[in-house]
């Protein structure tokens, strides 16, 4: 199928984007890499009157370090982030996650901001944002605001972004001193995963510190499991502690069954992945200690 007719705008600056969104409100839709939006248009699940193409807005394409954070412009391609030495050095969890997104041609077009704004609960980047307690900077009718990750994702494909909001950049705390792992189970390489987990841990005096676990594919948004994080916090990662982490994950998660997998399967896979990813993150943390 082809998309329904729409008017097309190709602004060259953030100011122009904001003006266009203010003029057209809910009639407008932003186009970033198009890797999620174009299929929705072609299937006529989205019918915007005006498509506002962000691809000429060069000022949204950057990766820089500032005050212990790495700041990534919304139009930075996923593949650019994947190849960035700053990301590899300062954001190892993001570096773990990026190669798991689809295939290289998808990452070559798909953007960091587009993935987070789209808020697919099976997507990797929203889970990274939540695991790291990062934030996003938004330009809207009331000016610029910073939204913490914990407040950004509302439900399935839904965030706090309004129709006149532009996601400008993503801010992630640098964690090059931590061990990280992103593990997932997908039916085929490159498919959206059934379940995934982002894990970050530091190790000092053989004990886990600052443990974070965020899951994909087990609810309408990325899900943190504080009980599992607390089960490992300040403790040596023994088999008994791993079992506690797994039990906490399985007790807390309430995934839905769907055509791809049952709730019970997803819950069990989440527990197994949590243990494996935590072991791997702790092993990597020892290497950077
Ligand atoms: C075959 C295939 C496999 C894929 N596999 C995966 C996968 O395994 N994991 C995964 O995470 N993703 C996967 N994707 C999706 C891919 O990561 C997309 O790139 C991403 O979801 C959307 O980014 P985009 O830049 O293409 O955004 P677009 O598709 O252009 O936009 C997506 C939505 O976000 C909005 N939007 C975009 N940018 C902004 C902004 N700056 N401010 C406000 N709103 C904005 C748009 O209006 C639209 O509603 C896959 C896609 C395909 C086609």
């Amino acid at each position: 199928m082809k998309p329904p007719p729409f008017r097309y705008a190709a602004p060259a600056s953030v100011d122009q984007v904001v003006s266009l969104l203010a003029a057209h409100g809910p009639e407008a839709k932003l186009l970033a890499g198009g890797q999620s939006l174009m299929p929705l248009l072609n299937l006529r699940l989205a019918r915007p009157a005006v498509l506002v193409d962000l691809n000429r807005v060069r000022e949204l394409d950057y990766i820089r370090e500032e005050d212990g954070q790495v700041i990534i412009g919304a139009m930075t391609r996923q593949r650019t982030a994947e190849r960035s030495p700053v990301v590899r050095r300062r954001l190892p969890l993001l570096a773990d996650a990026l190669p798991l997104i689809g295939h290289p041609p998808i990452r070559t077009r798909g953007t960091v901001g587009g993935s987070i704004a789209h808020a697919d609960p099976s997507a990797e980047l929203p889970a990274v944002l939540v695991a790291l307690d990062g934030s996003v900077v938004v330009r809207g009718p009331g000016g610029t605001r910073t939204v913490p990750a914990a407040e950004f994702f509302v439900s399935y494909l839904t965030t706090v972004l309004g129709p006149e909001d532009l996601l400008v950049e993503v801010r992630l705390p640098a964690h090059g001193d931590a061990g990280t792992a992103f593990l997932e189970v997908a039916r085929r390489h490159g498919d959206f995963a059934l379940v995934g987990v982002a894990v970050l841990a530091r190790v000092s005096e053989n004990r886990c510190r600052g443990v974070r676990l965020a899951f994909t594919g087990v609810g309408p948004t990325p899900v943190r499991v504080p009980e599992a994080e607390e089960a490992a916090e300040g403790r040596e990662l023994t088999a008994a502690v791993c079992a506690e982490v797994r039990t906490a994950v399985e007790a807390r998660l309430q995934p839905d069954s769907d055509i791809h997998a049952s709730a019970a399967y997803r819950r069990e896979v989440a527990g197994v992945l949590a243990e494996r990813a935590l072991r791997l993150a702790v092993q990597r943390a020892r290497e950077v200690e």
Side-chain angles (χ1 to χ4, degrees):
M1 275 194 8
K2 288 193 173 142
F6 53 79
R7 276 173 286 146
Y8 176 77
S13 71
V14 167
D15 286 343
Q16 287 173 14
V17 174
V18 172
S19 304
L20 282 160
L21 291 179
H24 298 288
E27 300 267 274
K29 195 94 187 133
L30 293 170
L31 173 69
Q35 297 304 295
S36 297
L37 184 56
M38 289 314 295
L40 292 175
L41 290 176
N42 288 341
L43 292 167
R44 303 199 169 202
L45 294 171
R47 294 170 166 267
V50 184
L51 205 59
V52 179
D53 187 348
L54 296 175
N55 284 279
R56 286 179 184 75
V57 187
R58 297 269 152 73
E59 65 188 286
L60 289 175
D61 180 4
Y62 52 86
I63 299 176
R64 61 168 190 262
E65 291 185 73
E66 206 177 282
D67 298 334
Q69 292 191 314
V70 178
I71 304 176
I72 305 179
M75 283 303 289
T76 306
R77 306 289 168 186
Q78 295 156 5
R79 186 78 172 141
T80 305
E82 185 181 347
R83 301 174 110 168
S84 156
V86 175
V87 169
R88 234 173 288 138
R89 217 170 39 243
R90 303 281 185 229
L91 300 177
L93 185 59
L94 181 62
D96 293 336
L98 283 160
L100 300 173
I101 300 174
H103 302 279
I106 288 155
R107 304 198 289 276
T108 301
R109 291 302 302 164
T111 63
V112 171
S115 174
I116 287 170
H118 189 59
D120 190 314
S122 298
E124 288 80 5
L125 301 192
V128 169
L129 182 69
V130 165
L132 294 176
D133 270 331
S135 58
V136 299
V137 174
V138 178
R139 269 275 302 269
T144 302
R145 65 190 196 277
T146 302
V147 185
E151 295 167 21
F152 185 72
F153 299 101
V154 175
S155 186
Y156 183 74
L157 302 183
T158 308
T159 69
V160 297
L161 290 175
E164 295 175 33
D165 284 335
L166 168 72
L167 192 160
V168 173
E169 66 187 23
V170 179
R171 296 176 161 244
L172 298 171
H175 54 273
D177 59 330
T180 61
F182 201 119
L183 297 184
E184 57 182 38
V185 167
R187 282 195 190 278
R188 292 175 308 185
H189 173 71
D191 280 1
F192 273 103
L194 296 174
V195 181
V197 66
V199 174
L200 174 136
R202 293 180 173 81
V203 174
S204 93
E205 294 171 348
N206 213 22
R207 290 172 190 280
C208 301
R209 310 278 176 199
V211 175
R212 307 281 178 79
L213 292 110
F215 293 86
T216 70
V218 291
T221 62
V223 182
R224 281 272 291 273
V225 181
E227 298 87 345
E229 296 172 358
E230 283 154 22
E233 190 62 37
R235 301 171 77 188
E236 189 180 339
L237 195 65
T238 59
V241 169
C242 284
E244 279 182 47
V245 168
R246 204 165 147 170
T247 303
V249 168
E250 291 176 11
R252 171 67 181 253
L253 296 180
Q254 304 273 322
D256 287 329
S257 295
D258 59 25
I259 55 163
H260 304 295
S262 68
Y265 178 77
R266 282 182 202 268
R267 198 179 298 115
E268 184 167 346
V269 170
V272 171
L273 288 181
E275 177 176 344
R276 284 186 195 161
L278 184 55
R279 284 184 186 280
L280 184 56
V282 164
Q283 181 192 321
R284 289 174 173 170
R286 289 207 177 100
E287 286 160 15
V288 292
E289 201 184 0

